[in-house]
Amino acid sequence: MGLLNRIHLKSDSEIESIKKSSLLVGKTLGEVAKLMRPGVPLFYIDQVAEDYIRANGGLPSCKGYRPYAGMPPFPSTLCLSVNSTVVHGIPNDYVLQEGDIVTADCVACLNGWHGDFAYTFEIGTVSEEKHLLVRRTYEALHHALDFAKVGNTIFDISQAVESYVKPFRYGVVKVLSGHGIGRSMHEKPDVPNFVPRTREERRWYKDEVIRPGMVFCIEPMIGMGTGEVLDDEAHWPVVMADRRPAAHFEHQVAINSQGKTEILSTYQYIEEALGINHK
Ligand code: MF3
Ligand code: CO
């Protein structure tokens, strides 16, 4: 296993730092949530998010991000992905319409640590089938979170997502996965949302035991139709091949030195802005 494949385990104080970054993302998405209504252009939402992150001492991690040579850097603070765009949508002059679903995915860096999570919003009233897709993707994430426990493996999380959405005949997007996170936005381990096809890959994820110090993101990306995307190589945006709607929720979790799982990300500020009360 090379250096690049190593999992960077974090101390409790490092986890606390990451939690602060994640909190900044949560508050930023709270501001974003207030703008999720018909008539608002995507670039405006992005500007509000960037200003909020910078005003609070953070940096927008996605802006200028370029994981592979030869591809254009990501130009914005937020990924805003509307309807059949599942992830990595670039905020442009598109104006939100009643009935859209739109995922806001935000990564912010504070004191060198990255916070990263995402939420799919409904604009005004959406169709019943879109509403169900969004709700079940949210539930798939929370179901998977129950498996993010010491002694389980990454395989258990992957299986949890896939098995949750299977009865609805949704398609899991497989070209992208959840990921470890810390001083880099993307670290090991990969956290797929499906059970890999080859025995070798399955073995790899079954060997990846969840243990103290791990910090990673779980992020189901679910299509209403198939999970196929238009172009595997097109990193931004990622669009569903069948042009049917897709949803995406992401949470960031840590396992502390005591072996306790902590969800670092929070939907509290989003839900307050939307007037959702779970209590
Ligand atoms: N939340 C996304 C992820 O988990 C952020 C990547 S957007 C990028 O990978 F533009 F920076 F790539
Ligand atoms: Co992520």
Side-chain angles (χ1 to χ4, degrees):
M1 202 186 270
L3 210 57
L4 282 171
N5 284 324
R6 257 188 33 214
I7 293 178
H8 299 291
L9 298 175
K10 282 85 181 174
S11 68
D12 286 348
S13 75
E14 289 172 331
I15 290 171
E16 274 310 302
S17 297
I18 300 173
K19 191 174 180 180
K20 287 185 185 139
S21 309
S22 217
L23 181 62
L24 175 55
V25 171
K27 290 180 174 174
T28 304
L29 288 175
E31 296 305 305
V32 163
K34 296 174 190 167
L35 301 170
M36 286 291 173
R37 46 187 162 74
V40 181
L42 299 183
F43 66 78
Y44 178 70
I45 301 171
D46 188 64
Q47 192 60 57
V48 167
E50 179 171 355
D51 291 350
Y52 189 87
I53 290 169
R54 291 191 191 278
N56 287 281
L59 291 169
S61 309
C62 291
K63 197 162 188 167
Y65 184 67
R66 194 182 182 209
Y68 310 106
M71 68 186 277
F74 192 78
S76 316
T77 293
L78 298 175
C79 299
L80 291 175
S81 305
V82 181
N83 296 327
S84 59
T85 297
V86 57
V87 289
H88 299 171
I90 295 172
N92 54 17
D93 58 3
Y94 178 80
V95 173
L96 290 175
Q97 310 286 313
E98 176 99 15
D100 285 343
I101 57 173
V102 44
T103 302
D105 190 347
C106 181
V107 194
C109 188
L110 197 61
N111 300 315
W113 298 98
H114 295 276
D116 172 13
F117 60 101
Y119 190 94
T120 300
F121 295 87
E122 300 179 8
I123 306 304
T125 304
V126 308
S127 67
E128 178 72 2
E129 60 170 6
K130 276 183 171 173
H131 176 69
L132 287 174
L133 172 72
V134 171
R135 204 180 73 194
R136 289 161 174 169
T137 304
Y138 175 98
E139 289 168 356
L141 169 58
H142 288 83
H143 179 63
L145 283 168
D146 289 341
F147 291 82
K149 299 260 156 65
V150 156
N152 282 352
T153 68
I154 295 297
F155 181 91
D156 296 317
I157 293 174
S158 304
Q159 193 171 45
V161 173
E162 188 171 65
S163 66
Y164 192 86
V165 301
K166 207 170 183 173
F168 309 119
R169 295 167 172 259
Y170 293 152
V172 173
V173 173
K174 298 181 176 176
V175 293
L176 292 159
S177 295
H179 51 91
I181 184 164
R183 288 204 181 274
S184 301
M185 192 188 339
H186 294 134
E187 299 183 1
K188 291 292 164 189
D190 290 336
V191 185
N193 295 302
F194 60 98
V195 172
R197 245 176 311 137
T198 69
R199 192 203 258 179
E200 206 180 332
E201 284 175 296
R202 287 198 293 274
R203 169 62 39 218
W204 203 88
Y205 292 106
K206 282 180 180 174
D207 283 346
E208 203 63 271
V209 177
I210 296 171
R211 54 197 189 273
M214 276 188 170
V215 180
F216 55 88
C217 294
I218 306 175
E219 47 177 321
M221 294 160 256
I222 309 296
M224 195 185 281
T226 75
E228 302 303 316
V229 303
L230 267 188
D231 177 357
D232 287 6
E233 303 294 309
H235 293 273
W236 20 89
V238 178
V239 179
M240 302 311 293
D242 57 10
R243 304 281 180 167
R244 297 192 70 193
H248 170 220
F249 284 88
E250 176 173 15
H251 264 314
Q252 186 174 21
V253 303
I255 317 296
N256 73 13
S257 63
Q258 302 299 307
K260 191 176 166 295
T261 300
E262 192 177 2
I263 302 176
L264 304 179
S265 41
T266 172
Y267 289 157
Q268 180 192 337
Y269 300 91
I270 294 173
E271 289 174 347
E272 279 172 12
L274 299 178
I276 298 172
N277 194 347
H278 280 309
K279 298 272 153 66

